[in-house]
Amino acid sequence: MVAERRKLSRRNFSYYMRVLDEVTGKLIGHLSDISTDGFKLVCSRPVQLRVDFRLRIDQTSDISDKHFLIFSARAIWCKMDYLDPSTYQVGFNITNMPPSDYEVFLKMFDVYGIKSTAHRRSNSEYIWG
């Protein structure tokens, strides 16, 4: 068994939340799990690696009175989903987020993040892929 390399806990994401490219307005993917410094998206196309993206996540009123978060994140890994080869799993690290938005992101982690004791292979960690 491979030793756990993650330093921060990760949680499956229980809410269908879209992540958009703030520059183009196009859908990048949907959140599938989250940690306090990154997240995994399910995407319909592969994403360019080691590039900072300007992203937007629209918010719900039960999380924040803000309508959206805008921040920078870098795609660290991208893999074809082994259960659904028409989708990709993409791990991102947050590179720049205003402190007030980060508080909302942490609330998303607490409210919509489901603790799980066992992860399937498709739930690879963000940094190590």
Side-chain angles (χ1 to χ4, degrees), residues 25-88:
K26 293 183 179 179
L27 177 69
I28 299 290
H30 297 89
L31 283 170
S32 68
D33 72 22
I34 187 170
S35 78
T36 55
D37 71 342
F39 51 90
K40 181 173 73 172
L41 297 181
V42 175
C43 304
S44 61
R45 293 180 297 235
V47 173
Q48 188 175 1
L49 299 180
R50 293 175 289 284
V51 172
D52 283 353
F53 289 86
R54 192 87 175 129
L55 300 175
R56 174 185 172 132
I57 300 176
D58 293 332
Q59 293 298 299
T60 61
S61 61
D62 59 325
I63 293 292
S64 172
D65 55 356
K66 290 183 164 216
H67 296 288
F68 51 83
L69 304 179
I70 296 176
F71 60 96
S72 297
R74 179 173 294 147
I76 302 301
W77 59 266
C78 179
K79 297 179 183 177
M80 184 182 300
D81 188 298
Y82 75 97
L83 294 175
D84 180 1
S86 68
T87 64
Y88 294 83

Side-chain angles (χ1 to χ4, degrees), residues 99-116:
S100 61
D101 286 357
Y102 186 67
E103 288 179 25
V104 175
F105 188 82
L106 290 178
K107 190 167 183 184
M108 288 170 45
F109 175 80
D110 288 335
V111 172
Y112 294 132
I114 299 171
K115 292 180 184 179
S116 176

Side-chain angles (χ1 to χ4, degrees), residues 15-28:
Y15 191 82
Y16 185 80
M17 196 167 274
R18 300 179 325 151
V19 178
L20 306 170
D21 183 314
E22 173 61 14
V23 176
T24 66
K26 293 183 179 179
L27 177 69
I28 299 290

